[in-house]
Amino acid sequence: MPSSNLPVYEIIVYGFVWVAAICYSSYNVYLAGKLFDHTAIGDDFSDNWHGYKKDMADYEWTTWLPFLLYTMPPWVAAHIALTQVTRWISPQGVPGAQSLITLLFIMAHFGPACVLFVITQVVVYYLILRLKSVALVWLFGVPFLLVSCFGLQETWEHTGKSDHQFTMMLVSTTWLNLHCISFSLETLASAPSKTTGTRMFYDLLGYSLYFPTYFLGPFIIYTNFGPYMYRSFERWTVERVSTFVLSLLRYLLWAAVTEASLYFLYIHALQYHMTIVASLGDWTLYGLGYLMGQFFCLKYVVVYGLCGSVANFDGYIAPPPPKCVARIHLYTDMWRYFDVGFYLFIHKYIYTPLCGGQKKTLRRLMASAMCFGFVFLWHGVHLSIFIWSVLNFLGVSLVSFSISLSNTPTFKDWQKRNLSEANYRRLTALVSAPVFILGPASSFYFFSGINTGNTFVIHLFFIGSWTGMVALLFVSYCMCQVSIEIKQWEKINNQKLKSH
């Protein structure tokens, strides 16, 4: 990684250009939203609030936020009370208490059929685990994920429950799959002879049906959960409680900021009118791409932050919420720092075993392809998800290839003879800029579907103005420089903390 050795004024210029571009493009999106001031389109908007309508077109946010703020809190309080009392009386009962709260919640909100559906999934994985084969965990596990999701979709209409409830059950099914696979693989790796008996099933229930992260994540890998499940009771201290409360307040503040933005920036409603957006100019289109990514990031900051705070309070090691996408320029870092728990899953259980400790390029590419194949299956078997997964695979592969090339003796020798450290950093940012643009382009497919993605890509790469593309490349170059600077600052700061 290039060192932070550029002149201060140069770094300031890069930061100013990046911030100015964000502000200008966001303002263009705000003006585009004015198109909806006197138009009601289906359920895209709520009632007016002081003359402003609220963008309601993001189905996930309108489903998840009420679930987090109104449905879960009483049950989270019950979970904390029951598990803490159980831990105080006998830590051996904690897995049972954790799974009991989740099953009672599902019974109360989704019905007995859904309880049976969940228990069946856990039982199936336990039976697979008893076969003591890593290959069979994957051979049965991945198809079982697809069968479970499609089976739930086909039978849901007979339950009489709402679409919002279906969304929560479907999302929780995918998380449950990850937990069961993680438990199975860790058990086989550490204690393959102990895959039978009620204790193993009991532990699997306690881990896979842990209420705070059951429905919306974040995913906690079993090695950060299992060792703490039977720990002794610890008295609550002022520091522990205040840390928990402040953490909740922090993410509730971000939830309020995200909610407020929907009254001024109609980024989700605009996704369904991409032809109009494209006709308003390049900067409106670029701004929409940026804000879509930023809102998506904030959504998971809130969800993972709130749920992870409860898990941390319980004494487990929850992964941190996503880092801001506006300061990450490398595809590899985006995957590493956005959904940390999911990244740990695919890296530990798919990528590392397939690489087998080898650093050969072809082997790593094949392992990466398998990872994104799983990403595609886990997020949903749709054409838009497939395109997004392929583009992300290409982006990660390009970054990995560039890093490998820069570490070869031939390149290092050429660099030493021809480039100063400052110029090498400039070259790195210049090469990274086009790859960085691929990120927002691919995300359109993930956020809004294939039609929206195609409209964005066609305008961006084929019919957009060349001046707009040059400006976008320059702004992206500035963003890469800002990202490099922040990354270097974090590295230096972490080294200082470790030295103390």
Side-chain angles (χ1 to χ4, degrees), residues 171-226:
V171 171
S172 67
T173 297
T174 58
W175 287 118
L176 179 59
N177 179 270
L178 291 191
H179 286 95
C180 290
I181 290 177
S182 178
F183 180 89
S184 301
L185 295 180
E186 293 293 346
T187 301
L188 290 173
S190 60
S193 62
K194 299 180 180 180
T195 56
T196 59
T198 57
R199 172 63 180 271
M200 195 63 64
F201 181 71
Y202 185 59
D203 289 350
L204 175 58
L205 277 177
Y207 170 58
S208 62
L209 300 184
Y210 178 65
F211 181 73
T213 61
Y214 178 79
F215 286 97
L216 294 172
F219 172 74
I220 304 176
I221 202 165
Y222 187 65
T223 51
N224 289 336
F225 191 97

Side-chain angles (χ1 to χ4, degrees), residues 26 31 47 71 98 112 181 213 230 273 289 365 381 421 424 458 496:
S26 299
L31 294 178
D47 295 333
T71 306
Q98 291 179 165
I181 290 177
T213 61
Y230 292 103
H273 305 277
L365 282 174
V381 185
E421 289 188 1
Y424 174 56
I458 290 172
K496 289 181 179 178

Side-chain angles (χ1 to χ4, degrees), residues 298-374:
L298 279 175
K299 178 165 60 178
Y300 279 90
V301 165
V302 171
V303 172
Y304 285 179
L306 289 173
C307 297
S309 295
V310 179
N312 288 329
F313 180 74
D314 273 342
Y316 301 112
I317 305 176
K323 287 187 176 181
C324 178
V325 296
R327 37 81 34 116
I328 298 177
H329 72 291
L330 294 177
Y331 255 97
T332 48
D333 285 351
M334 188 69 73
W335 277 95
R336 183 178 288 111
Y337 298 121
F338 188 87
D339 193 334
V340 177
F342 187 63
Y343 169 80
L344 287 175
F345 179 94
I346 59 177
H347 191 272
K348 183 174 185 179
Y349 300 134
I350 303 176
Y351 184 80
T352 300
L354 290 176
C355 283
Q358 299 183 22
K359 295 185 178 181
K360 294 181 179 179
T361 302
L362 182 60
R363 185 76 173 261
R364 293 169 64 182
L365 282 174
M366 291 177 62
S368 182
M370 290 297 293
C371 289
F372 282 101
F374 180 80

Side-chain angles (χ1 to χ4, degrees), residues 62 116 144-145 206 229 261 294 309 316 333 356 384 398 428 430 451 465 486:
T62 57
L116 180 62
F144 187 67
L145 168 66
M229 201 151 42
S261 71
Q294 199 64 41
S309 295
Y316 301 112
D333 285 351
S384 59
L398 285 172
T428 300
L430 186 65
N451 292 330
S465 66
I486 293 175

Side-chain angles (χ1 to χ4, degrees), residues 478-490:
C478 294
M479 183 273 166
C480 292
Q481 289 285 13
V482 171
S483 176
I484 292 171
E485 188 66 24
I486 293 175
K487 195 172 182 178
Q488 286 297 318
W489 179 84
E490 286 182 334

Side-chain angles (χ1 to χ4, degrees), residues 80 106 434 471:
I80 292 175
I106 295 173

Side-chain angles (χ1 to χ4, degrees), residues 378-401:
W378 190 76
H379 280 90
V381 185
H382 303 286
L383 180 58
S384 59
I385 302 296
F386 176 75
I387 295 173
W388 169 74
S389 301
V390 170
L391 292 176
N392 273 267
F393 167 69
L394 293 176
V396 169
S397 299
L398 285 172
V399 172
S400 299
F401 175 76

